[in-house]
Amino acid sequence: MDGKEGYAVRKSMEILVALGEIFGAKSLIDVGSVQVAGVSYHNLGDAGLEFLNSLAADGKVKVLTTLNPAGMDLENWQQLGISPDFADKQNQVIDAFERMGILISCTCTPYLIGNLPLYGEHVAWSESSAVTFANSVLGAKTNREGGPSALAAAFVGKTPCYGLHLDENRIPDIHVQVNTPLTKLSDWGALGYAIGKKAENKIPYITGVKAAELDELKSFCASVVTYGAKPLFYIKGITPGAELQKQPTQTVTVEQADIKAAYDAINDDVSDIDFVCVGCPHCSIKEIQEIADLLKGKKVKAGTELWVATSRTAKQLADKRGYTATIEAAGGKFACDTCMAVAPLKGRFKALATTSAKGCFYSRQNLMKTKMGSMKECVETAVSGKWNN
Ligand code: F3S
């Protein structure tokens, strides 16, 4: 804090100490990795870019640090209709992060590309779905950092020890009994909506879920925190550490009617769809394979765009397996490094179809009507331009 390590470290220590004082932290704690959000120029503006450049002048990260999605595909931005002015500013943002020594990963699924914390490891991540995944599915420990506090942790290698870093704050305080089967990916988004509303600002301990795949948990993490819960949950028999926790006494249930009500709340009354976007959180290679299989021999309807949002790493695997060629031959577009929430899309599309409850939440803020359904329903909508459910 005395400035001996330069401006970026001094500024970072000021941020971390202020945070620690506000939340009553007794000490700083070492972090194993950092995930930085606040990458899109659309959200940062010139003031944010200036702040990043001031830190990049002498700041170098001390731990593995990965980056959340940016406002555009860093290579194929023109194909996605991004203006050259925006691209220029976005590239300046990326350049500042690169000078800091941050991996230009531009994904909200850093755990799929090598930033994979261990059980019990302290990290400082921002981006609500990734934070929830780290805490709940991996059993790592992180607060929901803002962009500046995550960056500060990266420059210092430490974060204030409060909140979800402390075991006493990781105890579940509401029991959610799920009494309905989950049959498709978007049901997990609907479940996240239902639980998020019932467990507002609480840590749910969930029972009644028989099995879960990685992509389902990824989707649930995004949804449950977007719609109100804390970025930590336990699913009995599925997520790590659930067996160490006591079932809370307050119990609520999720019934078939709650799932239907979630779909009703998320879905607007619209049938003509001009934008289909899957990959919120970013698509895994398995999801890309599914999209390629569903699109084989078909064509995306003229006047409708299909975006597959994913990390560049997953796209490189898809290139090798031929999935990219199949999707692009059908008229689909890859949106690497970016997503529907952080790209400058306001006013560009009227109606979205997606697999993601979180995607619907943010796309409404971009003035789109929304529909949520399975991967199959989304791909069929891309081909017909109509939502048929
Ligand atoms: Fe990721 Fe963007 Fe969704 S950051 S979780 S794809 S809103």
Side-chain angles (χ1 to χ4, degrees), residues 183-184 186-187 259-260 263-264 267-273 353-355 370-378 380-381 384-389:
T183 56
K184 56 186 181 187
S186 52
D187 286 355
I259 299 295
K260 184 179 175 306
Y263 275 103
D264 288 348
N267 284 343
D268 289 314
D269 184 16
V270 62
S271 68
D272 288 341
I273 304 288
T354 182
T355 50
T370 58
K371 285 285 190 195
M372 178 178 75
S374 67
M375 195 67 91
K376 187 162 179 280
E377 287 166 321
C378 287
E380 281 169 359
T381 299
S384 67
K386 298 251 181 238
W387 185 264
N388 272 327
N389 193 348

Coordinates of all heavy atoms in Angstrom, one line a residue, residues 183-184 186-187 259-260 263-264 267-273 353-355 370-378 380-381 384-389:
T183 N -36.6 -32.9 -17.6 CA -36.4 -33.7 -18.8 C -35.6 -33.1 -19.9 O -35.2 -33.8 -20.8 CB -37.8 -34.1 -19.3 OG1 -38.5 -32.9 -19.6 CG2 -38.6 -34.9 -18.4
K184 N -35.3 -31.8 -19.8 CA -34.5 -31.2 -20.8 C -33.7 -30.0 -20.2 O -34.0 -29.6 -19.1 CB -35.4 -30.7 -22.0 CG -36.4 -29.7 -21.6 CD -37.3 -29.3 -22.8 CE -38.4 -28.4 -22.4 NZ -39.4 -28.1 -23.4
S186 N -33.4 -26.9 -20.7 CA -34.1 -25.6 -20.2 C -34.9 -25.8 -18.9 O -35.1 -24.8 -18.2 CB -34.9 -25.0 -21.3 OG -35.8 -26.0 -21.8
D187 N -35.2 -27.1 -18.6 CA -35.9 -27.3 -17.3 C -35.0 -26.9 -16.1 O -35.5 -26.4 -15.1 CB -36.3 -28.8 -17.1 CG -37.4 -29.2 -18.0 OD1 -38.0 -28.3 -18.7 OD2 -37.8 -30.4 -18.1
I259 N -42.4 -25.2 -12.2 CA -41.6 -25.2 -13.4 C -42.4 -24.6 -14.6 O -41.9 -23.7 -15.3 CB -41.2 -26.7 -13.8 CG1 -40.4 -27.3 -12.7 CG2 -40.5 -26.7 -15.1 CD1 -39.0 -26.6 -12.5
K260 N -43.7 -24.9 -14.6 CA -44.6 -24.3 -15.7 C -44.7 -22.8 -15.5 O -44.6 -22.0 -16.4 CB -46.0 -24.9 -15.6 CG -46.8 -24.4 -16.8 CD -48.2 -25.0 -16.8 CE -49.1 -24.4 -17.9 NZ -49.2 -22.9 -17.8
Y263 N -41.6 -21.1 -16.8 CA -41.6 -21.0 -18.3 C -42.5 -19.8 -18.6 O -42.3 -19.0 -19.5 CB -42.1 -22.3 -18.9 CG -40.9 -23.3 -19.2 CD1 -40.8 -24.4 -18.4 CD2 -40.1 -23.1 -20.3 CE1 -39.8 -25.3 -18.6 CE2 -39.0 -24.0 -20.5 CZ -38.9 -25.1 -19.7 OH -37.9 -26.0 -19.9
D264 N -43.7 -19.8 -18.0 CA -44.7 -18.7 -18.3 C -44.1 -17.3 -18.1 O -44.4 -16.4 -18.8 CB -46.0 -18.9 -17.5 CG -46.8 -20.1 -18.0 OD1 -46.4 -20.7 -19.0 OD2 -47.7 -20.6 -17.2
N267 N -41.2 -16.8 -20.8 CA -41.6 -16.8 -22.2 C -42.6 -15.7 -22.5 O -43.6 -15.5 -21.8 CB -42.2 -18.1 -22.6 CG -41.1 -19.2 -22.8 OD1 -39.9 -18.9 -22.9 ND2 -41.5 -20.4 -22.8
D268 N -42.3 -14.9 -23.6 CA -43.2 -13.9 -24.0 C -44.2 -14.5 -25.1 O -43.9 -15.6 -25.6 CB -42.5 -12.7 -24.6 CG -41.7 -11.9 -23.6 OD1 -42.4 -11.6 -22.5 OD2 -40.5 -11.6 -23.8
D269 N -45.2 -13.7 -25.3 CA -46.2 -14.1 -26.4 C -45.7 -13.7 -27.7 O -45.9 -12.6 -28.2 CB -47.5 -13.5 -26.0 CG -48.6 -14.0 -27.0 OD1 -48.4 -15.0 -27.7 OD2 -49.7 -13.3 -27.1
V270 N -44.9 -14.5 -28.4 CA -44.3 -14.2 -29.7 C -44.0 -15.4 -30.4 O -43.7 -16.5 -29.8 CB -42.9 -13.4 -29.4 CG1 -41.9 -14.2 -28.7 CG2 -42.4 -12.8 -30.7
S271 N -44.2 -15.4 -31.7 CA -43.8 -16.6 -32.5 C -42.8 -16.4 -33.6 O -42.0 -17.3 -33.9 CB -45.1 -17.2 -33.1 OG -45.6 -16.4 -34.1
D272 N -42.7 -15.2 -34.2 CA -41.7 -14.9 -35.2 C -40.3 -14.6 -34.4 O -40.3 -13.6 -33.6 CB -42.0 -13.7 -36.0 CG -43.2 -14.0 -37.0 OD1 -43.4 -15.2 -37.2 OD2 -43.9 -13.1 -37.4
I273 N -39.3 -15.4 -34.7 CA -38.0 -15.2 -34.0 C -37.0 -14.8 -35.0 O -36.7 -15.5 -36.0 CB -37.6 -16.6 -33.4 CG1 -38.7 -17.1 -32.4 CG2 -36.3 -16.5 -32.7 CD1 -38.9 -16.3 -31.1
A353 N -34.8 -16.7 -29.2 CA -35.1 -18.1 -28.7 C -33.7 -18.6 -28.1 O -32.7 -18.4 -28.8 CB -35.6 -19.0 -29.8
T354 N -33.8 -19.2 -27.0 CA -32.5 -19.7 -26.3 C -32.8 -20.8 -25.4 O -34.0 -21.1 -25.0 CB -31.9 -18.5 -25.6 OG1 -30.6 -18.9 -25.0 CG2 -32.7 -17.9 -24.4
T355 N -31.8 -21.5 -25.0 CA -31.9 -22.5 -23.9 C -31.8 -21.9 -22.5 O -32.0 -22.6 -21.5 CB -30.8 -23.6 -24.1 OG1 -29.5 -22.9 -24.2 CG2 -31.0 -24.4 -25.3
T370 N -38.7 -12.9 -25.5 CA -37.9 -14.1 -25.3 C -38.7 -15.4 -25.2 O -39.9 -15.4 -24.8 CB -37.1 -13.9 -23.9 OG1 -38.0 -13.8 -22.9 CG2 -36.1 -12.8 -24.0
K371 N -38.0 -16.4 -25.7 CA -38.6 -17.8 -25.6 C -37.5 -18.7 -25.1 O -36.3 -18.6 -25.6 CB -39.0 -18.3 -27.0 CG -40.3 -17.7 -27.5 CD -41.5 -18.3 -26.7 CE -42.8 -17.9 -27.4 NZ -44.0 -18.2 -26.5
M372 N -37.8 -19.6 -24.2 CA -36.8 -20.5 -23.7 C -37.2 -21.9 -23.9 O -38.4 -22.3 -23.7 CB -36.5 -20.3 -22.2 CG -35.5 -21.3 -21.6 SD -35.2 -21.1 -19.8 CE -36.7 -21.7 -19.1
G373 N -36.3 -22.8 -24.5 CA -36.7 -24.2 -24.7 C -35.5 -25.0 -24.8 O -34.3 -24.6 -24.6
S374 N -35.7 -26.3 -25.3 CA -34.6 -27.2 -25.4 C -33.7 -26.8 -26.6 O -34.0 -26.0 -27.4 CB -35.1 -28.6 -25.7 OG -35.7 -28.6 -26.9
M375 N -32.5 -27.5 -26.7 CA -31.6 -27.2 -27.8 C -32.3 -27.6 -29.1 O -32.2 -26.8 -30.1 CB -30.3 -28.1 -27.6 CG -29.2 -27.7 -28.5 SD -28.5 -26.1 -28.0 CE -27.3 -26.5 -26.9
K376 N -33.1 -28.7 -29.1 CA -33.8 -29.1 -30.3 C -34.8 -28.0 -30.7 O -34.9 -27.6 -31.9 CB -34.5 -30.4 -30.0 CG -35.1 -31.1 -31.2 CD -35.4 -32.5 -30.9 CE -36.1 -33.2 -32.1 NZ -37.5 -33.0 -32.1
E377 N -35.6 -27.5 -29.7 CA -36.6 -26.5 -30.1 C -35.9 -25.2 -30.6 O -36.4 -24.6 -31.5 CB -37.4 -26.1 -28.8 CG -38.4 -27.2 -28.4 CD -38.9 -27.1 -27.0 OE1 -38.2 -26.7 -26.1 OE2 -40.1 -27.3 -26.8
C378 N -34.7 -24.9 -30.0 CA -34.0 -23.7 -30.5 C -33.5 -23.8 -31.9 O -33.6 -22.9 -32.8 CB -32.8 -23.3 -29.6 SG -33.4 -22.7 -28.0
E380 N -34.7 -25.9 -34.2 CA -35.8 -26.0 -35.1 C -36.4 -24.6 -35.4 O -36.8 -24.2 -36.5 CB -36.9 -26.9 -34.5 CG -36.7 -28.3 -34.7 CD -37.6 -29.2 -33.9 OE1 -38.5 -28.7 -33.2 OE2 -37.4 -30.5 -34.0
T381 N -36.3 -23.7 -34.4 CA -36.7 -22.3 -34.5 C -35.8 -21.6 -35.5 O -36.3 -20.8 -36.3 CB -36.8 -21.6 -33.1 OG1 -37.7 -22.3 -32.3 CG2 -37.2 -20.2 -33.3
S384 N -36.9 -22.7 -39.0 CA -38.2 -22.2 -39.5 C -38.4 -20.7 -39.3 O -39.3 -20.2 -39.9 CB -39.3 -23.0 -38.7 OG -39.3 -22.6 -37.4
G385 N -37.7 -20.1 -38.4 CA -38.0 -18.7 -38.0 C -39.2 -18.6 -37.1 O -39.6 -17.4 -36.8
K386 N -39.8 -19.7 -36.7 CA -41.0 -19.6 -35.9 C -40.8 -20.5 -34.6 O -40.2 -21.6 -34.7 CB -42.2 -20.2 -36.6 CG -42.5 -19.5 -37.9 CD -43.9 -18.8 -37.7 CE -44.3 -18.1 -38.9 NZ -44.4 -16.6 -38.8
W387 N -41.3 -20.0 -33.5 CA -41.4 -20.8 -32.3 C -42.7 -21.6 -32.3 O -43.7 -21.1 -32.4 CB -41.3 -19.9 -31.1 CG -41.3 -20.6 -29.8 CD1 -42.3 -21.0 -29.0 CD2 -40.1 -21.1 -29.2 NE1 -41.9 -21.7 -27.9 CE2 -40.5 -21.8 -28.0 CE3 -38.7 -21.1 -29.5 CZ2 -39.6 -22.4 -27.1 CZ3 -37.8 -21.7 -28.6 CH2 -38.3 -22.3 -27.5
N388 N -42.5 -22.9 -32.2 CA -43.7 -23.8 -32.4 C -44.1 -24.5 -31.1 O -44.6 -25.6 -31.2 CB -43.3 -24.8 -33.4 CG -43.6 -24.3 -34.8 OD1 -44.6 -23.5 -35.0 ND2 -42.8 -24.7 -35.8
N389 N -44.0 -23.8 -30.0 CA -44.3 -24.6 -28.8 C -45.5 -24.0 -28.1 O -45.4 -22.8 -27.7 CB -43.1 -24.6 -27.9 CG -43.2 -25.6 -26.7 OD1 -44.3 -26.1 -26.5 ND2 -42.1 -25.8 -26.1

